[in-house]
Amino acid sequence: LALIGALLASASLGAVEIAPHDILPTLLGNGTPEDYRILYHIRLPRIVTGALTGINLALAGCILQGILKNPLADPYLLGISSGASLGAVLAIVAGIGTLWGLDGTGLFAFFGAVAVSAFILLIASLTKASGGSLTLLLAGFATNAACSAALSFVIAAMAEPSKTRSIQFWMMGSLGTVRPALLAVLALVMAAGVLYFISQRRVLDLMLMGDEFSLSMGRDLALYRKIYIAVTAVMVGSAVYAAGMIGFVGLIVPHAVRLVTGSAHRYIIPLSALGGGAFLAWANIIGRNIVPGTELPIGVTTTLAGAPLFLW
């Protein structure tokens, strides 16, 4: 209900308001030409991008919280998002606008997220506690710190002043720059991720009980952790490709869902996905309407909403 309400409000509210009962006729071509252009070319792409990005980020946070047995874990904790940021900034500094016909900044962000995840898994596999949750957590902390330091160095030492604004804008997130072809890819990644992790709900429940118990049940959780981190890296990389850096979705939404439903992943996974879409959709509404005539970046809006919840 929250997601449906957010989608309707996103289509209705803005500089030009469209009455809720006029949305469907307008989409079917029976409204005014102005309303049709606003819905199809401005609001609808933002609505779909926000929903898909929110689902990917929230589900990634949900899975990381399960495999690390930490209800406050999210892609930022493991450095995945920092790796994506570093990749995107390198592309901007190098002036790579397009690569293989795709957006260069987004593509480098995707590569950064995947590379950091692979590096974390490599570090974890070289230790005695191969793939253990604490090993992954500490490797993620170290990688996050390294990527953040490299990011600051690149911005300070290499970026031209004319590119600094572009870097800052991208790192605050945006829902307004996505092409329809990319939305199809994002939707495919989202659907595959949701279906895959729903099928893995029992293994994720076992992870909450500890490795020793799981080994007695015939499950080697180290291998599963590596697979899950690789899949979440693809989901986070896709979300960052589409919308830039957006914080707190993967942290706040699964944690809030877990407080309501308990720890069973049969409930947490689908409700986190729905909640992530709703959270980002409402953040988009607030960002577009809270200051008349000004649109706040979506990452700023999610932080304004998420920080008080995290503090609480």
Side-chain angles (χ1 to χ4, degrees):
L1 290 175
L3 178 57
I4 292 172
L7 297 181
L8 289 174
S10 295
S12 175
L13 298 175
V16 177
E17 292 194 12
I18 301 174
H21 57 79
D22 290 333
I23 294 174
L24 183 58
T26 301
L27 292 176
L28 296 176
N30 297 322
T32 66
E34 182 185 5
D35 288 350
Y36 182 86
R37 285 194 298 270
I38 290 172
L39 277 180
Y40 263 99
H41 298 293
I42 299 176
R43 294 185 186 172
L44 197 58
R46 295 177 63 96
I47 291 169
V48 177
T49 302
L52 295 177
T53 302
I55 290 171
N56 276 350
L57 292 176
L59 184 57
C62 167
I63 301 306
L64 291 176
Q65 289 174 13
I67 65 179
L68 296 177
K69 295 187 290 186
N70 185 338
L72 296 180
D74 81 329
Y76 288 84
L77 191 66
L78 282 183
I80 297 174
S81 294
S82 296
S85 294
L86 181 58
V89 170
L90 287 174
I92 294 173
V93 171
I96 302 175
T98 59
L99 186 66
W100 305 320
L102 300 173
D103 175 63
T105 302
L107 199 60
F108 267 66
F110 179 83
F111 289 154
V114 174
V116 165
S117 300
F119 179 73
I120 293 172
L121 294 177
L122 175 64
I123 294 297
S125 65
L126 295 176
T127 65
K128 289 184 178 180
S130 178
S133 59
L134 180 59
T135 306
L136 291 172
L137 191 63
L138 295 176
F141 271 127
T143 307
N144 184 35
C147 287
S148 297
L151 186 63
S152 299
F153 173 78
V154 170
I155 293 174
M158 298 183 184
E160 299 175 9
S162 60
K163 296 178 180 178
T164 302
R165 181 172 177 80
S166 176
I167 292 173
Q168 291 175 340
F169 181 81
W170 189 89
M171 291 184 66
M172 291 188 289
S174 173
L175 300 179
T177 59
V178 180
R179 298 188 300 272
L182 178 56
L183 286 180
V185 174
L186 190 61
L188 182 62
V189 171
M190 179 274 295
V194 170
L195 292 175
Y196 173 71
F197 283 122
I198 286 177
S199 72
Q200 299 296 305
R201 60 189 182 277
R202 291 185 177 87
V203 179
L204 288 163
D205 287 340
L206 278 176
M207 287 184 176
L208 300 179
M209 300 179 185
D211 287 44
E212 294 79 8
F213 178 81
S214 300
L215 284 174
S216 69
M217 300 289 288
R219 298 276 192 175
D220 181 9
L221 296 186
L223 176 61
Y224 284 100
R225 283 195 183 93
K226 294 174 183 178
I227 295 173
Y228 294 167
I229 287 179
V231 176
T232 55
V234 173
M235 298 184 72
V236 172
S238 300
V240 172
Y241 184 132
M245 297 301 300
I246 301 176
F248 281 97
V249 182
L251 175 65
I252 294 297
V253 174
H255 186 63
V257 170
R258 189 175 284 103
L259 290 176
V260 176
T261 65
S263 58
H265 282 88
R266 59 185 291 191
Y267 301 118
I268 298 174
I269 291 173
L271 290 179
S272 291
L274 291 173
F279 181 78
L280 212 55
W282 282 110
N284 177 41
I285 294 169
I286 294 171
R288 287 193 293 113
N289 295 280
I290 191 171
V291 180
T294 302
E295 179 181 328
L296 294 179
I298 188 69
V300 174
T301 312
T302 58
T303 302
L304 290 174
L309 290 174
F310 181 60
L311 182 60
W312 174 79

